[in-house]
Amino acid sequence: EFACGGEEIGYLSVYASGTTPIEKEVMVELERNETVLSDYNQKRYGDNYKNYVLELPDTHYKVDDWSINLYPNANSSYSLFPIKVNIDGLEPEDNYFLPLRIASVSDYMISSARNVLMQILMKNDYATTKEKSYYTMNGTRLRVAKDTWEPLDKKNNAPDYKPINATKLVAPVTEYGIRILTGSTLTSDRKELRKQGIVVTVHPEEMIDVPVIGSNGLPTGEYIQCQKVTLDKWYNVNGGITVLNIEDTPSYYNPEKKEFTLNYRYNYNSNDWYEMKEVMSPVAIANENN
């Protein structure tokens, strides 16, 4: 897994196998080989092109030296081949691989079966693409008037907050950011994800005091420090969502509970504006094959 937020080094193990260790130093040269990836896609997915995995773009990785040396060693005949990877800007729904093979060796024989597909997985402190990351969400939604933000939904002359409960699938998109959808919205459509996606960004260095609420529902007079959170649209596209932070009721992240409390307003595909409060807690990581 590679962390969001800049360049990180991953390592590929290059080794010599056999009943006896190598007796001399061997230089191994590697190379990128797109044939490995196309063969993998064809064998696994056939004509189901939408499931094809993608090659990691060359703008997202760097290899300083494509050759590496193996040294005679009775205990270990392998070396680590470093690859610098930057996953920022990659799509969390896509599966990226770096296809590699051994191009030449200075001695001994190359194993033709040892082609490599190095999978590029994304992570940050809040989510991962190795498995699906889920949060439970309990919250409320209130329809409000634009600009004045006065409640339009009322009951007995009081704001009529609609309860919302859901299990939310989230994805890492920046070093401190995850992508969510509003409330209980769920979609896997790429265009809709770009239109409706919201980036929730934690600011670890900006702390805010959050009042502690007692069992009676009233403030205890005590406070805990949490990390400030801001929300914004994921993509700037025509017809996309508009998201506003609520300045006098900021969003925050509790690192001890690993819990998000989100307060925001949004408008999407209608004239209606909604005011949201969502409390998100990590519930599970589910294997995508389940």
Side-chain angles (χ1 to χ4, degrees), residues 94-152:
D94 288 328
N95 292 316
Y96 297 93
F97 286 81
L98 181 56
L100 300 170
R101 70 178 177 186
I102 295 175
S104 65
V105 292
S106 61
D107 208 327
Y108 300 101
M109 296 178 61
I110 299 174
S111 174
S112 59
R114 295 305 184 195
N115 296 317
V116 173
L117 283 174
M118 182 177 180
Q119 187 172 13
I120 308 300
L121 299 170
M122 304 165 63
K123 69 175 182 178
N124 59 20
D125 288 341
Y126 323 103
T128 177
T129 61
K130 186 176 182 180
E131 292 89 12
K132 292 185 177 181
S133 299
Y134 290 102
Y135 280 68
T136 55
M137 184 277 289
N138 297 298
T140 58
R141 186 176 80 166
L142 178 68
R143 194 165 59 97
V144 294
K146 184 181 179 182
D147 297 329
T148 66
W149 311 124
E150 292 295 322
L152 294 177

Side-chain angles (χ1 to χ4, degrees), residues 11-16 22 26 28 30 67-72 76-82:
Y11 293 93
L12 181 68
S13 180
V14 180
Y15 65 95
I22 57 176
V26 180
V28 180
L30 285 84
S67 63
I68 190 171
N69 290 333
L70 300 179
Y71 300 96
S76 177
S77 296
Y78 77 92
S79 293
L80 295 178
F81 180 75

